[in-house]
Amino acid sequence: MISPSRYDVVAVGLNAVDVLVRLPEKVRPDTKHMVKELLIQGGAPMGTGSSAVAMLGYSTAFVARLGRNTVSEISIDQFKKYGVAVDLIVRDENSRPALALVEIDPKTAARTVFVNLDDYGFLQQQDIPVEVIRAAKVLMVDSYDLDATEWALQAAQGSPCRTMLDFESGDTERLRRLLALGTDVILPLECGRQLSGETDPAKVLRELAKLTSGQLVVTDGVHGSWALTPNEVIHQPSLPVAVKIDSTGCGDAYHAGYVAGLLEGWPLHVRMEFGTWLAAQVISQVGGRTALPQRKNLSHLSAPLSPALTQHLAQLSQQS
Ligand SMILES: Nc1ncnc2c1ncn2[C@@H]1O[C@H](COP(=O)(O)OP(=O)(O)OP(=O)(O)O)[C@@H](O)[C@H]1O
Ligand SMILES: [Mg+2]
């Protein structure tokens, strides 16, 4: 019998294995290029988001349907490497994670992603660990397997478990309806625009507030993030990054930092700042998970952080 109160965080969402390559300055078609920065790594919003939370020292589990094949084994190895528990993964011979080919522009750090979902292990309702979710502190979901997302969100309703939504794209009407089930809704601005019909971040937030009583945040890459408070819209600028290599996983890391702040009971602006800092770490290396820090590395950071975050991180790092 599994104890239901095992995890601080449960993640339900897309699971991918990324093959990432930082392209040479000049790509010559129909030739071979020797490259230094080419790697295989677990990816996807919840896959990487849950890894980031686990690296920060929170007990974290990922719910997925995986088979006995090479890509599934890589995915499981990757979860284990970053400290994510794999015992909520359901085995199903023919399933596998998404496969993603990620090409990174060496000049801008922007990445172009090609995703294949053949034989993807979409979750079934009986795969959702209802009691484990209800006993967790935070449930993280995305918008790539919306049936699973909805079952998991429904499972959390009426329990103390907070629900963090990271929607990037999908059926507009369904996503709008699901917003009501989120206690913390953190969307890329583009998705916020799709769901609200507004353009300006403040207007997007105010329009979405008609659909949810959850805390609303929108992110927009280098432009930073905005959150709606009862009195105003607050803006958190992105942090300057000296050397930008690969923007893969920035959004996932932002969500993870926010979730860590939720678990610690930090105020909204500190949660946003920590998410921003974590995202800025990720961009310095190839792969969304390569630069994820551990809790013990969070003291004496060189970035210009607010006194509030500096103090919270100093306390947190001492608990490692
Ligand atoms: N180029 C950048 N430089 C500095 N910070 C960045 C950059 N891109 C993203 N960030 C940080 O990460 C946060 C989230 O990024 P973004 O809005 O691109 O999320 P996303 O669209 O969900 O991305 P992803 O595809 O990684 O999930 C931003 O609010 C910002 O703090
Ligand atoms: Mg994202």
Side-chain angles (χ1 to χ4, degrees):
M1 172 72 187
I2 299 170
S3 153
S5 58
R6 275 174 309 168
Y7 299 113
D8 294 323
V9 177
V10 176
V12 175
L14 191 71
N15 178 33
V17 169
D18 289 350
V19 180
L20 303 114
V21 59
R22 189 162 182 245
L23 297 173
E25 295 278 339
K26 267 212 165 87
V27 175
R28 296 177 307 279
D30 206 22
T31 60
K32 290 177 184 163
H33 298 77
M34 296 300 286
V35 290
K36 280 208 160 57
E37 290 152 304
L38 190 157
L39 58 92
I40 296 179
Q41 191 171 79
M46 289 306 110
T48 295
S50 61
S51 299
V53 175
M55 285 289 280
L56 291 171
Y58 302 99
S59 62
T60 304
F62 193 91
V63 185
R65 195 167 252 266
L66 293 177
R68 303 205 183 270
N69 44 59
T70 307
V71 199
S72 293
E73 295 309 332
I74 292 172
S75 174
I76 287 175
D77 278 356
Q78 287 284 302
F79 281 131
K80 287 183 181 165
K81 178 173 174 186
Y82 291 91
V84 178
V86 295
D87 54 326
L88 299 180
I89 289 178
V90 178
R91 288 294 196 159
D92 163 15
E93 293 299 313
N94 299 318
S95 291
R96 66 164 177 78
L99 253 185
L101 180 65
V102 184
E103 293 187 352
I104 304 151
D105 184 321
K107 293 197 186 78
T108 64
R111 80 282 180 273
T112 306
V113 188
F114 304 88
V115 184
N116 175 277
L117 286 173
D118 287 354
D119 298 323
Y120 184 78
F122 288 101
L123 291 172
Q124 300 181 7
Q125 191 158 10
Q126 71 265 21
D127 301 339
I128 304 297
V130 174
E131 291 310 319
V132 179
I133 289 172
R134 295 182 67 79
K137 295 180 182 141
V138 181
L139 167 72
M140 300 167 68
V141 296
D142 66 29
S143 57
Y144 291 101
D145 181 356
L146 272 182
D147 287 338
T149 287
E150 186 159 358
W151 294 322
L153 287 171
Q154 292 292 0
Q157 300 307 300
S159 79
C161 180
R162 305 222 13 176
T163 47
M164 197 284 306
L165 276 50
D166 177 5
F167 290 170
E168 291 186 340
S169 60
D171 175 64
T172 302
E173 277 322 303
R174 191 167 186 195
L175 295 183
R176 281 168 60 88
R177 184 168 55 76
L178 292 179
L179 291 186
L181 302 180
T183 62
D184 296 83
V185 176
I186 307 173
L187 312 177
L189 180 59
E190 212 37 56
C191 182
R193 286 176 171 153
Q194 178 199 333
L195 300 189
S196 67
E198 295 287 352
T199 306
D200 169 68
K203 287 187 178 158
V204 168
L205 289 167
R206 293 207 165 91
E207 192 60 31
L208 294 180
K210 296 174 184 165
L211 302 172
T212 179
S213 58
Q215 174 60 58
L216 278 160
V217 179
V218 289
T219 68
D220 187 22
V222 73
H223 304 294
S225 54
W226 294 260
L228 187 63
T229 73
N231 306 318
E232 57 179 343
V233 170
I234 57 173
H235 179 235
Q236 167 66 52
S238 66
L239 279 173
V241 181
V243 185
K244 291 187 186 181
I245 301 292
D246 174 17
S247 61
T248 305
C250 277
D252 317 337
Y254 183 100
H255 287 78
Y258 181 101
V259 164
L262 265 187
L263 290 162
E264 296 301 322
W266 296 346
L268 173 64
H269 66 95
V270 180
R271 305 201 288 268
M272 292 169 72
E273 188 185 355
F274 187 46
T276 300
W277 178 81
L278 208 54
Q281 307 313 297
V282 162
I283 206 167
S284 67
Q285 293 193 45
V286 173
R289 300 186 191 177
T290 310
L292 292 176
Q294 290 182 297
R295 183 181 292 201
K296 63 180 184 217
N297 308 130
L298 296 178
S299 60
H300 311 298
L301 301 177
S302 55
L305 301 178
S306 70
L309 179 57
T310 306
Q311 193 192 344
H312 282 302
L313 291 181
Q315 282 168 359
L316 187 62
S317 62
Q318 277 164 18
Q319 295 164 22
S320 50

